[in-house]
Amino acid sequence: SQQGEEDPQALSIQEGENATMNCSYKTSINNLQWYRQNSGRGLVHLILIRSNEREKHSGRLRVTLDTSKKSSSLLITASRAADTASYFCATDQRGYSSASKIIFGSGTRLSIRP
Amino acid sequence: NAGVTQTPKFRVLKTGQSMTLLCAQDMNHEYMYWYRQDPGMGLRLIHYSVGEGTTAKGEVPDGYNVSRLKKQNFLLGLESAAPSQTSVYFCASSYSMGNPADNTQYFGPGTRLTVL
C-alpha cells in the first residue's frame, strides 16, 4: 500500500477560497515534500518540510507536519484558477539512504471554479 | 538550463516490440529515477541510479531495464512490450539522497506510451 495517502481524492472550490489537502503516512520519515502536477505535465516541487519542523510557508502555501499523527497538510490560500492541478505528497522514509524509499501518494485533484 | 528532458513524448508500440526511452539532465545531478504513472495512482518507482554506471530496482522493475553510462543520461528499456506497460513515464533527477535539503526531485515532461 502507499506510504502517503492524500485526502480528499478530489476537491472543488470557488476561486478565492482556501484549499486544504491532507497526507497521511505510515512510517517515520526524514522529510515530506509536496508536488504539483498540471494536466499532462511533469511534477513540480512546491515545498519540503523536515521531520523536525512543524510548519513552513512559501507564498500562498502553508504546510504543517505532525509526526505524532504521521500526517501533513497543505493549505493554499486565496486560490486562483491557475492552482487547478493534482497535488502529491512524497515521503522520504527515515533510516534509508536509498532513493527507492521516496514514496508518492495517489494525489488530490484540485479544481478551482471561477 | 533545459532541466530534465525526455524523448520521445509519445509512442505507440505493438505487443512484443522493444523501445528505449531517453532521459537527459543538465543540472549535474547524481541521482536519476524512472517512474510510471497510471490513472488515479501516484508515481511508482521503476528503477533508479545513484551515479554513473550504477542502477538499482525500485518498486515495479519487472519488464524494464535501465542503463546509466553517462551521468547526464538515464535510459529506460522495454525489451518486449506488454499492454500492462501502457502508462505515462516520468524521469526525474536530484542532487543526492544523503542531505534532506538536496533530494528535491526535478521531473521531465513525461512520455505517454501505449502498447496495443
Side-chain angles (χ1 to χ4, degrees):
Chain A
S1 60
Q2 298 277 1
Q3 159 75 331
E5 296 285 350
E6 285 92 343
D7 170 59
Q9 289 187 339
L11 179 62
S12 179
I13 61 173
Q14 202 76 30
E15 190 170 11
E17 293 180 337
N18 296 340
T20 299
M21 289 157 272
N22 302 297
C23 171
S24 59
Y25 56 93
K26 297 185 175 120
T27 63
S28 295
I29 60 173
N30 288 318
N31 62 59
L32 185 146
Q33 303 179 51
W34 285 92
Y35 288 81
R36 183 186 72 224
Q37 183 181 33
N38 291 90
S39 181
R41 308 292 291 273
L43 277 70
V44 175
H45 180 258
L46 293 176
I47 195 165
L48 179 152
I49 186 165
R50 297 187 177 87
S51 60
N52 62 351
E53 296 176 315
R54 292 296 168 260
E55 187 171 311
K56 205 161 183 180
H57 297 256
S58 176
R60 294 184 295 114
L61 305 180
R62 173 176 168 254
V63 170
T64 61
L65 180 64
D66 187 335
T67 53
S68 66
K69 296 181 178 178
K70 293 186 169 58
S71 68
S72 173
S73 68
L74 170 67
L75 168 67
I76 303 174
T77 61
S79 63
R80 305 168 181 170
D83 295 328
T84 294
S86 291
Y87 292 82
F88 296 88
C89 67
T91 51
D92 173 13
Q93 292 186 30
R94 178 170 294 175
Y96 291 92
S97 60
S98 164
S100 67
K101 295 308 176 183
I102 295 178
I103 306 293
F104 284 83
S106 54
T108 292
R109 293 186 307 280
L110 175 64
S111 298
I112 308 299
R113 303 190 304 269
Chain B
N1 288 352
V4 180
T5 58
Q6 291 181 233
T7 53
K9 289 185 171 52
F10 303 94
R11 187 72 185 269
V12 178
L13 291 178
K14 294 181 180 179
T15 296
Q17 287 185 318
S18 63
M19 77 161 294
T20 300
L21 281 68
L22 171 64
C23 176
Q25 52 94 4
D26 61 1
M27 296 174 283
N28 201 34
H29 283 167
E30 294 293 332
Y31 285 63
M32 297 186 75
Y33 318 79
W34 275 107
Y35 294 91
R36 60 178 289 172
Q37 184 178 34
D38 300 296
M41 299 183 70
L43 277 71
R44 292 185 292 170
L45 184 65
I46 303 171
H47 285 279
Y48 65 98
S49 168
V50 301
E52 181 178 324
T54 69
T55 64
K57 295 180 180 179
E59 183 184 356
V60 288
D62 294 341
Y64 306 94
N65 57 75
V66 288
S67 64
R68 183 103 181 264
L69 298 179
K70 294 181 179 180
K71 186 177 183 178
Q72 63 268 34
N73 295 337
F74 195 29
L75 278 64
L76 178 70
L78 286 73
E79 291 186 346
S80 180
S84 61
Q85 294 177 303
T86 293
S87 188
V88 181
Y89 292 85
F90 289 98
C91 176
S93 69
S94 67
Y95 178 66
S96 75
M97 281 297 300
N99 182 344
D102 294 335
N103 72 350
T104 295
Q105 296 193 19
Y106 296 81
F107 283 82
T111 295
R112 189 174 295 275
L113 175 66
T114 301
V115 183
L116 304 176

